[in-house]
Amino acid sequence: MEQGLTQAVAAPRLSAAARRRQLREKAVAGFITLMAFTGIAALILIIVFVAKEALALFTDAEARHEASLSKMFLAQEGRYPFRWQPVSGTPKVSMIPLFVGTLKITVVSMLVAVPLGVFGALFVAEFAPRRLRELLKPVIELLAGIPSVVLGFFALMVLSPVVKNLFHLDRPLNGTLAGLALALAIVPVIFTVSEDALTAVPRSYREASLALGATLWETAWKVVLPAAAPGILAACVLGFGRAIGETMIVLMASGNADIVSWSLGDSARSLSATIAAEMGEVVVGSPHYALLFFIGVELFIFTFVLNMIASTWTKKVLQRLTGSAS
Amino acid sequence: MKYTTRRAIGLGLTGLTAFAAFFIVGMLALILWDVARHGARHISWAFLTEAPSDGMMGGGIFPAIFGTAALTLLMTLAVMPVGVLTAVYLHEYAPPESRFARWVRVAVVNLAGVPSIVFGLFGLGFFILFVGGNLDRLLGYQEMHWAQPGILWASLTLAVLTLPVVIVSTEEALRAVPLDQRTASLALGATQSQTLARVVLPGALPGILTGAVLAISRGAGEVAPILFTGAAYFLPDLPTSLDSQFMHLGYHTYVMATQSPNVTEASGPLYATVLVLLALTFALNLVAVIIRTRTRRKAASAH
């Protein structure tokens, strides 16, 4: 709207001062546009410079021998077909245990966080009295302000013995513990985005439903929730992306064992935690180093795709509810 | 369905959703209570002002507090101008249907979702190896000087990480400045940049501050991106220049919680460190919430 304001001015004959002023305006606008370019530049630089360090896996003879794609993704001979031991005498670089570990922990956290976040949002948006809503919303959003290292610490010190005894597990650090702690980190994401989607549903929908004799819960469940469905799905996808990329919690609570096991009581190793744990001691330029950057590329691509899906669905809600995209 | 059944289902659903909401709040309360209860006992003036000793079991955490503060200060200096001006472009300068603006928005949305550990890899690959390496070559250093982890590179990495936070909250602040004020300024003959500098930005200042505070609190707590871009395991000396390594509250927490030979003995200083970190980030979040509600109320009463 505002943009049109300065453009309609006709300028017949300009004095020197006016021309200088016009030049200055152009310079300011140019500078600001240049700054806006940094977002795009940063995103491109991230993928370029992370991929660049991973490139050795495909160009360097030593790296290609030690960490070929088949060694990363296919079963190897021997008693243990899938192992991640990149620093042993004969490096084993299977990414399968990392995928299994990441997925296992992420699924646990989603199973806990999705119902909590969506139902919590439904309560705050539809059922809570106004006073309570104004209190609950910022308080739940405060949870997002807790650094993940603190959640990892909390899992380690407080949740670990509770989870171990409750589920009768052998190990203090395991997939369940990491998943539960991770759920705490993604609940605020799912809650906030779902709540936004629910609040975006126009009042007229609710009034129409109530006027037809539906109760408050029927309106919430059968009118508001379906109307906001794409946005809520987007919230879940966004939460999933956060869960896959979250590092410190998983690093501290999962036990970091490179085993292929879907048992929730076993320790697990995730993609992100592997980077965090091993990058500190790796030799720059070695095959192992390139491997860790390759994991970074994978994480970047996973989360990029999930983000694009989520933002498309968020837009869909607005489109559906207002008839226009914005 | 009979009315009573409908009512029962309604009560059940309301109860279920209320349980979910209060469960989240309960977990938050549990974390805060646990950390405050164990941590407060160990907090003392000496703990806050001394360097760690006895394999980090004794002494205090002053270098970590100082390192965190210096890191986030540098990060804020780097991210604010870029973030604010990007938001200004998106809201004040970009033509409504601009393809470039749409790409900027897509980039910002995706930047917000990139895992923090990937930012760490980026910081290592871009700032340290590429920029630092070339800087060393340019300045003629024989051994590595800029091409190694340091507080400058760590804070620039965090600046990229917090960029979306600043852009989104600044844009919200710009939206809150009434259109009439811009029109009035332009009608009086002010140029667009004069309007921006003297009317729009001052009007949006509270919101811009909110963005800064949110970015600081987010940046202060992030550990993954600084793991290999500058944080040091144990460093009793304070960082003296931009290429120094530094101690950090979050990294210190991670190190003490996972690598300490005796966690029960370390739990006192550990809890106290977490309490300081949590108090810092929460205080900042609270400030952001307060500024935001105040400006919203003011905006609401102005209409």
Side-chain angles (χ1 to χ4, degrees):
Chain A
M1 285 182 281
E2 300 86 353
Q3 288 83 7
L5 291 173
T6 50
Q7 285 161 7
V9 183
R13 191 173 286 165
L14 292 172
S15 67
R19 229 173 297 144
R20 263 204 307 280
R21 208 162 75 156
Q22 219 173 39
L23 211 66
R24 202 181 56 210
E25 286 305 302
K26 277 214 175 110
V28 171
F31 179 69
I32 290 174
T33 312
L34 188 73
M35 282 290 146
F37 183 70
T38 35
I40 301 177
L43 200 64
I44 295 172
L45 284 177
I46 288 176
I47 189 63
V48 166
F49 276 87
V50 175
K52 197 180 95 163
E53 304 293 320
L55 207 63
L57 290 178
F58 303 96
T59 58
D60 182 72
E62 188 203 350
R64 239 170 39 194
H65 173 73
E66 200 176 304
S68 62
L69 284 177
S70 69
K71 284 187 179 166
M72 279 186 236
F73 297 109
L74 301 179
Q76 301 299 301
E77 282 167 33
R79 213 150 76 82
Y80 301 103
F82 303 108
R83 297 246 72 161
W84 173 263
Q85 283 165 345
V87 280
S88 65
T90 45
K92 299 181 185 67
V93 298
S94 175
M95 297 224 171
I96 305 300
L98 309 184
F99 284 135
V100 170
T102 306
L103 208 59
K104 186 166 82 173
I105 297 168
T106 308
V107 166
V108 173
S109 73
M110 290 297 283
L111 285 178
V112 177
V114 167
L116 273 183
V118 174
F119 280 177
L122 197 61
F123 178 73
V124 169
E126 300 300 314
F127 299 126
R130 221 193 62 182
R131 278 270 179 80
L132 191 58
R133 173 190 323 176
E134 275 171 14
L135 185 74
L136 279 178
K137 220 177 123 168
V139 168
I140 293 179
E141 279 166 5
L142 264 191
L143 191 60
I146 296 187
S148 60
V149 70
V150 173
L151 293 177
F153 158 84
F154 180 71
L156 214 58
M157 303 292 278
V158 182
L159 290 183
S160 170
V162 178
V163 169
K164 186 168 177 267
N165 292 333
L166 199 64
F167 298 103
H168 305 289
L169 304 175
D170 304 329
R171 288 168 232 292
L173 302 181
N174 53 62
T176 310
L177 178 67
L180 291 178
L182 195 54
L184 288 175
I186 58 172
V187 150
V189 177
I190 297 178
F191 172 85
T192 312
V193 180
S194 302
E195 213 265 342
D196 282 349
L198 291 169
T199 333
V201 176
R203 273 254 302 273
S204 56
Y205 284 36
R206 295 185 182 84
E207 282 160 0
S209 165
L210 293 171
L212 287 172
T215 58
L216 199 59
W217 76 265
E218 283 168 335
T219 305
W221 191 252
K222 295 184 185 163
V223 176
V224 181
L225 200 63
I232 289 172
L233 275 177
C236 299
V237 172
L238 219 55
F240 189 68
R242 290 291 158 83
I244 285 183
E246 172 54 51
T247 307
M248 297 313 290
I249 296 171
V250 182
L251 181 64
M252 293 167 87
S254 68
N256 292 318
D258 67 313
I259 44 176
V260 181
S261 149
W262 290 103
S263 159
L264 298 178
D266 281 333
S267 295
R269 192 176 186 88
S270 82
L271 291 162
S272 55
T274 301
I275 303 176
E278 296 174 11
M279 189 51 93
E281 283 110 47
V282 78
V283 180
V284 173
S286 65
H288 184 195
Y289 171 84
L291 263 174
L292 295 180
F293 273 88
F294 186 64
I295 297 178
V297 174
E298 289 168 359
L299 282 175
F300 182 92
I301 292 172
F302 289 157
T303 48
F304 188 90
V305 171
L306 291 174
N307 266 301
M308 293 314 286
I309 295 174
S311 73
T312 319
W313 284 350
T314 316
K315 261 191 216 121
K316 208 183 254 175
V317 174
L318 288 176
Q319 233 163 19
R320 195 195 262 197
L321 298 178
T322 62
S324 70
S326 66
Chain B
M1 255 192 292
K2 264 171 51 189
Y3 182 69
T4 42
T5 342
R6 284 169 67 190
R7 251 189 77 167
I9 297 176
L11 275 178
L13 193 69
T14 315
L16 191 69
T17 56
F19 172 77
F22 284 104
F23 187 83
I24 304 173
V25 175
M27 286 311 284
L28 177 71
L30 179 64
I31 296 173
L32 297 187
W33 181 71
D34 184 66
V35 171
R37 188 174 59 123
H38 290 98
R41 244 181 270 155
H42 203 83
I43 297 259
S44 65
W45 184 242
F47 182 76
L48 295 176
T49 54
E50 280 173 16
S53 54
D54 307 324
M56 300 203 277
M57 297 291 187
I61 52 164
F62 184 67
I65 297 176
F66 183 87
T68 311
L71 176 77
T72 41
L73 182 69
L74 282 172
M75 173 205 83
T76 315
L77 289 179
V79 75
M80 284 315 285
V82 178
V84 169
L85 289 182
T86 303
V88 165
Y89 169 77
L90 288 175
H91 197 260
E92 310 284 322
Y93 280 85
E97 295 297 316
S98 152
R99 185 171 293 176
F100 176 63
R102 215 165 54 215
W103 281 110
V104 174
R105 277 181 211 282
V106 169
V108 169
V109 165
N110 278 296
L111 222 46
V114 173
S116 54
I117 189 77
V118 177
F119 281 102
L121 291 178
F122 165 67
L124 179 61
F126 179 67
F127 288 124
I128 297 180
L129 297 177
F130 182 74
V131 180
N134 282 319
L135 211 58
D136 280 356
R137 223 160 297 139
L138 217 68
L139 299 173
Y141 284 112
Q142 291 307 310
E143 66 251 33
M144 285 199 293
H145 185 81
W146 288 107
Q148 53 185 358
I151 194 163
L152 177 65
W153 301 141
S155 49
L156 289 180
T157 305
L158 284 184
V160 181
L161 177 105
T162 49
L163 192 60
V165 181
V166 176
I167 294 175
V168 170
S169 55
T170 305
E171 231 195 310
E172 197 182 318
L174 293 173
R175 210 170 293 139
V177 178
L179 186 61
D180 314 355
Q181 293 186 8
R182 295 183 184 84
T183 332
S185 165
L186 291 169
L188 287 172
T191 62
Q192 195 177 9
S193 71
Q194 285 166 337
T195 306
L196 178 66
R198 306 208 187 135
V199 177
V200 179
L201 285 182
L205 195 63
I208 294 173
L209 284 179
T210 313
V213 173
L214 283 177
I216 294 172
S217 97
R218 169 95 201 273
E222 282 287 353
V223 179
I226 61 166
L227 282 174
F228 24 84
T229 53
Y233 187 84
F234 175 62
L235 199 71
D237 300 322
L238 302 181
T240 50
S241 66
L242 289 176
D243 57 334
S244 311
Q245 291 206 314
F246 57 96
M247 284 188 85
H248 182 269
L249 284 168
Y251 187 56
H252 192 62
T253 304
Y254 165 66
V255 167
M256 287 213 299
T258 55
Q259 335 241 310
S260 176
N262 185 350
V263 176
T264 19
E265 196 190 322
S267 88
L270 182 50
Y271 263 108
T273 309
V274 174
L275 181 59
V276 173
L277 176 60
L278 216 48
L280 190 80
T281 49
F282 264 44
L284 289 166
N285 270 311
L286 219 58
V287 170
V289 169
I290 291 170
I291 303 179
R292 201 168 0 180
T293 32
R294 271 177 117 182
T295 35
R296 260 194 207 143
R297 204 165 291 156
K298 213 191 271 171
S301 64
H303 282 292

